[in-house]
């Protein structure tokens, strides 16, 4: 397994291997790798000769300095973990300068309105930061396929839109949410949960599952109000939003239609840790 920190070096390695016919599956990450990331890497390896894993805590997608500072950075452990998976992995762990070359700023994007919903309403500038880093990483890695988890469903939709708008020649593959045995969606942020919050957090998935059941017979408004009441009664978790949205537009559903596909989305705080999750409803 090779570890690169310099974009020129990884680019020349990839272009050499591509000229020999190798294909590359890309898994962009911010590190603190867990089983969810490893499942994306395994998926990439099963369809490509190499998996490239980037490990980079991207400053431009954080709207909160403290969140950026506290984001776990565990490069040595991450590399050791990837070594246990396969030798055909290239790790790209750049410095901020290798990516931003002294100008740590986001580009401005339009994602046809997808960026204004949910996370976009609560995390200003977040998707400009994500668009900026993903576009740059695609330019450096030039992958054949790129793998993104459905936990960040809005991010996945936005990356698909980015690729379409900029005609980037990569296939985006969305992968199922990986969960702990208790249902909690795997996330690098889970590492920071204090014990009592770790016990409380599976409530998010449990509530999503109950909401799905209710959505069979009740309106989106009724289900939303029910979920809000459940969180209001909870002593440790604070709901930021619960939204039932059309998966194409990500806009909240006003009236259910049989021809549309819906998903429920949650963001909630467990102490100062922001957790998100979502579930397909139909
Ligand atoms: O999902 C993430 O970990 C990040 O948003 C990504 C895609 C690696 C971009 O920094």
């Amino acid at each position: 397994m090779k570890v690169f920190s310099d974009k020129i070096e990884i680019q020349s390695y990839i272009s050499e291997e591509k000229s020999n016919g190798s294909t590359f599956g890309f898994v962009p990450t911010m590190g603190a790798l867990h089983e969810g990331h490893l499942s994306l890497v395994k998926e990439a390896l099963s369809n490509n000769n190499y998996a490239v894993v980037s490990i980079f805590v991207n400053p431009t997608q954080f709207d909160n300095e403290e969140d950026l500072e506290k984001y776990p950075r565990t490069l040595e452990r991450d590399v050791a973990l990837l070594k246990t998976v396969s030798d055909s992995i290239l790790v790209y762990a750049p410095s901020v300068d290798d990516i931003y070359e002294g100008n740590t700023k986001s580009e401005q994007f339009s994602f046809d309105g997808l960026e204004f919903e949910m996370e976009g309403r609560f995390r200003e500038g977040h998707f400009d930061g994500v668009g900026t880093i993903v576009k740059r990483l695609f330019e450096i890695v030039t992958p054949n396929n790129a793998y993104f988890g459905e936990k960040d469903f809005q991010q996945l939709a936005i990356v698909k839109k980015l690729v379409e708008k900029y005609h980037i020649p990569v296939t985006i593959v969305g992968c199922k949410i990986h969960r702990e045995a208790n249902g909690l969606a795997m996330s690098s942020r889970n590492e920071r949960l204090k014990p009592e919050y770790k016990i409380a957090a599976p409530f998010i998935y449990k509530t999503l599952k109950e909401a799905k059941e209710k959505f069979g017979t009740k309106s989106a408004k009724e289900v939303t109000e029910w979920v809000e009441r459940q969180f209001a009664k909870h002593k440790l978790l604070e709901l930021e939003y619960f939204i039932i949205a059309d998966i194409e537009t990500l806009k909240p559903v006003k009236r259910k239609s049989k021809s549309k596909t819906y998903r429920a989305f949650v963001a909630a705080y467990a102490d100062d840790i922001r957790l998100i999750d979502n579930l397909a409803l139909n």
Side-chain angles (χ1 to χ4, degrees):
M1 199 181 81
K2 293 195 179 310
V3 181
F4 298 86
S5 58
D6 184 316
K7 60 176 174 290
I8 308 289
E9 284 176 19
I10 191 165
Q11 268 174 328
S12 73
Y13 188 89
I14 291 174
S15 90
E16 171 85 26
E17 287 301 300
K18 272 194 165 177
S19 66
N20 296 329
S22 290
T23 56
F24 289 80
F26 180 37
V27 181
T29 82
M30 298 206 297
L33 302 183
H34 49 68
E35 274 303 318
H37 293 115
L38 297 190
S39 73
L40 300 181
V41 175
K42 287 174 191 163
E43 180 81 23
L45 284 167
S46 69
N47 292 301
N48 304 272
N49 298 104
Y50 286 95
V52 180
V53 180
S54 63
I55 297 179
F56 180 64
V57 181
N58 173 37
T60 64
Q61 71 188 74
F62 286 81
D63 60 340
N64 176 326
E65 254 329 291
E66 199 185 328
D67 197 20
L68 170 61
E69 249 166 55
K70 284 193 178 160
Y71 202 87
R73 289 159 173 88
T74 57
L75 183 59
E76 260 178 51
R77 201 185 77 188
D78 293 344
V79 169
L81 199 58
L82 290 169
K83 272 194 186 142
T84 66
V85 175
S86 163
D87 221 26
S88 305
I89 296 174
L90 309 181
V91 175
Y92 174 46
S95 63
V96 171
D97 248 19
D98 198 54
I99 294 287
Y100 285 102
E101 299 175 346
N103 185 23
T104 314
K105 287 214 171 77
S106 293
E107 282 177 53
Q108 309 284 297
F109 294 92
S110 158
F111 297 114
D112 296 348
L114 293 176
E115 71 275 31
F116 301 128
E117 305 301 329
M118 300 184 289
E119 294 298 286
R121 294 210 338 257
F122 291 92
R123 301 179 72 187
E124 218 194 314
H126 174 66
F127 288 119
D128 280 336
V130 170
T132 302
I133 185 63
V134 171
K135 187 162 161 274
R136 286 193 192 183
L137 289 170
F138 282 167
E139 283 157 9
I140 294 166
V141 176
T142 62
N144 302 83
N145 301 293
Y147 299 81
F148 290 82
E150 285 184 343
K151 185 173 81 67
D152 297 289
F153 192 87
Q154 188 174 13
Q155 169 174 278
L156 170 62
I158 278 178
V159 170
K160 285 182 179 161
K161 186 63 81 181
L162 174 84
V163 161
E164 178 193 313
K165 285 203 150 186
Y166 288 85
H167 310 289
I168 304 172
V170 55
T171 303
I172 304 301
V173 183
C175 301
K176 284 208 163 48
I177 299 176
H178 229 74
R179 297 184 181 280
E180 311 275 357
N182 60 19
L184 176 64
M186 286 193 184
S187 163
S188 304
R189 290 168 194 263
N190 296 353
E191 279 188 22
R192 288 175 47 217
L193 289 170
K194 290 183 195 138
E196 68 267 38
Y197 289 94
K198 206 160 208 157
I199 293 168
F203 176 82
I204 297 173
Y205 182 53
K206 181 175 163 279
T207 309
L208 273 173
K209 281 195 302 187
E210 287 178 41
K212 176 178 176 150
E213 225 176 276
K214 292 191 187 297
F215 191 66
T217 53
K218 295 191 186 311
S219 71
K221 183 166 180 280
E222 285 168 322
V223 177
T224 304
E225 286 170 356
W226 178 82
V227 169
E228 287 170 353
R229 284 198 301 276
Q230 304 317 300
F231 274 92
K233 283 189 267 176
H234 200 288
K235 292 199 171 60
L236 291 177
L237 301 175
E238 196 188 321
L239 184 66
E240 187 169 62
Y241 64 76
F242 172 83
I243 288 169
I244 296 177
D246 177 333
I247 63 156
E248 295 303 324
T249 61
L250 301 183
K251 288 198 185 308
V253 50
K254 295 223 167 71
R255 192 172 303 150
K256 280 197 258 182
S257 151
K258 285 214 167 70
S259 61
K260 296 208 163 138
T261 309
Y262 301 110
R263 225 168 160 102
F265 296 86
V266 176
Y269 277 94
D271 202 9
D272 59 341
I273 314 231
R274 191 171 182 279
L275 300 172
I276 59 170
D277 201 351
N278 65 81
L279 188 66
L281 297 182
N282 61 339

